[in-house]
Structure formats: structure tokens, C-alpha cells
Amino acid sequence: MKIAFTTLGCKLNFAETSTYRRALLEAGAEAVGWNIPADAYLINTCAVTEHAEKKSRNLIQRAHRLAPEAAIYVTGCYAELRGGEIGLLPGVRRVFGAGEKGRIAGVIREDLGLGSGGDIPGDTLPAWSSGERTRSFLKVQDGCDNFCAYCTVPFARGRSRNLPVCALVQQAAGIASRGIREVVLTGVNTGDFGRSTGENFLSLLQALDKVEGIDRYRISSIEPNLLTDEIIDWIASGTKVLPHFHIPLQSGSDTLLRRVGRRYDTALFASRIDKVRSAMEHPGGRKVFFGIDVIVGLPGETEELFEETYRFLAERIRPAFLHVFPYSRRPGTRAALWPDQVQDRVKTERVARLEALSDKLHAEFVAANKGLRAPVLWESTVRDGMMSGFTDNYIKVTRPYDRTLVGTITEETI
């Protein structure tokens, strides 16, 4: 039986899709490309923006046009929030909500005649990706308790929860047994790890650091108020966790941060950046990579408040990269009901300004590291005879392809 997989959205979704894929291939299914007619399609959807929902819907319709007799299975955030309307689309066999992810592989196996069983008990699906030879995304946490005014994630993924440290250490050991050297720790609110097991994120990092065969860990995203001095100091003491932090800011205006219910202000955010830099940067050494999430056009974002965000990023924080999103009005959220919505053309202009700033800041970051030596993990992708890899502080380096280097770490000059 041929099955095609596709994924929209976050690294968490990619880790989950990879887990479903492994289970189905082990049961005898054959994975085929998305553009090839198949017996079944599994679509892992996103609903973070209206555009993501539309794209998810289009993929479902495209699969049906490609193979009208195929069974289409839909999961992910769009499936949880709009399951009723998805179930009415032609070709859709099953829609799996957030609480049914452990049943997906088993249900599809039975439907395709590949045998019964395969259900995973519990409310937190263990998940890690295995599509790359050098890097894996390991899901360490799911859900969120914050309920920010603009966000549907707590409704789509549920409350904050996690597997215990011991289970995640076992998964990391399994990843290492495949020869994968780098693990990216993913979650909806990664730093909130331990909410359901009485543990904490630092204890997880310390346990994973001891797993043999894994040389590098990256933290995919962590809220600034959860990036504690203890975590920073431990990472800086000489561990496998890399000098690469992705931290959501969303707005550089304290007025907007308070209004949407973020659990920090710009002073706390800046203090976390300062702490990391003082602990991990040294004269003449490599700089820490900071990637920052920003939402432009939140309701009530005047030109003055946007300028506060711009100045905060350009003058105070100066990160290596900005991940910029235009605010998308999400039904069911408090912010969707606020009257002072920002016009789309204004959002577009502000996104362009911050993306231009991001390009400038990234160029300056690379220039500040130029000429320094850094460890590079080489990847298997070949383009025009060249291979690439990333330094520990996430600078892309290229060289002529050499098969013997794939999956190895070498010291290179940036």
C-alpha cells in the first residue's frame, strides 16, 4: 500500500509526522512522493494563521484530485480546530484531533490492511524526526497554559504536558544509534517542560547531555521568562547545548505585551539576552546566535508602538535573525474581537521593514564571526557540487562535496 505524507507548520509537526511514517513503514506501507498517486495520504496541518489554514485545506483538495479513490487522513492543529468542516471535504476518511494522535498509525494500518495494533497510550505522543542523516527534532513538550490573547495553540494542542526525562533519554539514545549527531529540542512551550511530571527543563538538559553519540543540542524555542540564570550558567559551563537561542519576543512594546498577556516585559527580555552574552561570549570569540520571533500588526499597534519594537530590536537587542509574522485574526481568541485591528497594507509594510532589518543584522552577525574557527556538522545535501553545514552558532558554511565528511564535525574557518 502506497502512502504519501506532508507536513505544514512547526518542527513539532515534522517530528510527529516522521513518527507516524516510521510506524507505517515498519508495518509494510510504502512511502511515495507527494505528487504521486497513492492509496492514502496523511496530512499534518497547521492553523497558526488564516493562510496556514487555507494552505492545509488546499493540500487536502489537491490530494483528492490526484487520487480520487485514496483515503485521506488529516491531523494537526487545523484538524483539532476545524475538524467538522474538514470531515466534509471529498476523500477525507478520518480526522484526528489532538487527543487522538497516539491512534493514528494503528487506525491507518487497519484501514490499509496492514494489521492491527500500533496504538500509543497516553496524552503526549512520543515523537522524533529521522528524515535527515545529521539532525533530528525531538519533541520534549506539548501544549501551552499561557492563553495569550492572539493565539489558538492552547485550544489546538491542549494544556502543557510532557513525557518524563527517562523516556526522552531513551529516545535520544535511539536517535544516536542511527548515527545522528545533533538533536533539536522542540515543544510548544519548551521551557515549561516538567509541568506534568514534576521535573524541570534544566534536569532534562543535564540528562540528555550524558547521552553517548549525540554531540550537539539546540533549543528550538524558549520563552524569555523561562530561560533562567541556572539554565544559562549550566549551558555556559561547557556542555553539548550550543550557543544558539530562539526566543519569542512578539512585540518590543510593553503596552502591547501587557495587552496580549505575555508573561514578561522588554526589560526582562533584554536582561536574558545580556545574561547569555555575558556568560557565553568572550573577547575575540564567537558570538551567540539569537533568533527572535516578532508579530507585527497586533491590534492596537500604532506607528509609535511599532517604532518601539523596531528600535528595541535594532538598537538594544541586535539579534542575528528575525522571524517576522503579520498578525492573523484567529476566531475564538480575545484579540479577534478587539476593534482596533491594523490594516493589512500596514502590516505588509511593517513586515518588510523588519525583514530588511533582519537581513542587515544577520550580515553584521556573520561579519562579526568572520575569520574565527568553529565546529561545523556537515550535511548530506549536494547543490552544484557543494555541501553545507552549520557552525555551533548557526552560521552556514559550504565546501566542495566530500562523501566522507557527511555526518562528521570538523573545525573550519568562518
Side-chain angles (χ1 to χ4, degrees), residues 340-370:
D340 47 356
Q341 303 291 322
V342 176
Q343 294 180 344
D344 287 344
R345 64 171 182 80
V346 175
K347 294 179 196 175
T348 301
E349 292 168 359
R350 292 175 182 173
V351 166
R353 285 189 62 191
L354 285 184
E355 287 180 341
L357 175 62
S358 179
D359 291 343
K360 177 176 179 290
L361 292 170
H362 187 261
E364 292 174 356
F365 175 77
V366 173
N369 287 274
K370 194 171 181 61

Side-chain angles (χ1 to χ4, degrees), residues 146-151 155 258-262 299 327 329-339 341:
N146 288 353
F147 291 91
C148 297
Y150 54 82
C151 186
F155 308 108
R258 284 192 300 271
R259 190 183 192 199
V260 300
R262 300 297 286 171
Y327 166 73
R329 199 171 186 174
R330 303 281 71 216
T333 62
R334 302 191 305 281
L337 303 176
W338 293 343
Q341 303 291 322

Side-chain angles (χ1 to χ4, degrees), residues 371-391:
L372 300 177
R373 300 282 287 174
V376 175
L377 174 58
W378 295 104
E379 301 180 357
S380 58
T381 303
V382 186
R383 288 186 180 176
D384 300 324
M386 303 292 285
M387 67 192 305
S388 63
F390 285 92
T391 65

Side-chain angles (χ1 to χ4, degrees), residues 101-175:
K101 292 182 179 181
R103 300 185 57 232
I104 290 176
V107 168
I108 297 177
R109 280 175 55 168
E110 291 192 23
D111 282 359
L112 299 184
L114 298 172
S116 60
D119 285 5
I120 301 172
D123 63 354
T124 306
L125 176 76
W128 52 275
S129 68
S130 51
E132 297 183 53
R133 292 174 59 184
T134 53
R135 181 181 298 109
S136 176
F137 299 111
L138 173 62
K139 171 182 170 181
V140 301
Q141 184 273 343
D142 204 346
C144 185
D145 293 348
N146 288 353
F147 291 91
C148 297
Y150 54 82
C151 186
T152 61
V153 167
F155 308 108
R157 282 195 166 266
R159 304 302 290 264
S160 181
R161 61 200 185 278
N162 56 273
L163 296 172
V165 167
C166 60
L168 293 166
V169 167
Q170 288 179 342
Q171 291 178 47
I175 293 169

Side-chain angles (χ1 to χ4, degrees), residues 256-313:
L256 291 175
L257 290 176
R258 284 192 300 271
R259 190 183 192 199
V260 300
R262 300 297 286 171
R263 300 189 177 190
Y264 53 86
D265 57 16
T266 55
L268 185 146
F269 191 97
S271 76
R272 298 298 80 204
I273 302 295
D274 292 344
K275 171 64 180 179
V276 171
R277 284 178 169 149
S278 66
M280 302 182 69
E281 291 185 351
H282 309 286
R286 296 188 299 279
K287 306 298 182 183
V288 175
F289 184 104
F290 290 103
I292 307 295
D293 288 340
V294 188
I295 301 173
V296 302
L298 285 165
E301 185 185 66
T302 61
E303 186 62 28
E304 180 183 5
L305 295 183
F306 172 74
E307 288 293 339
E308 287 182 16
T309 295
Y310 189 95
R311 290 193 303 272
F312 183 68
L313 292 166

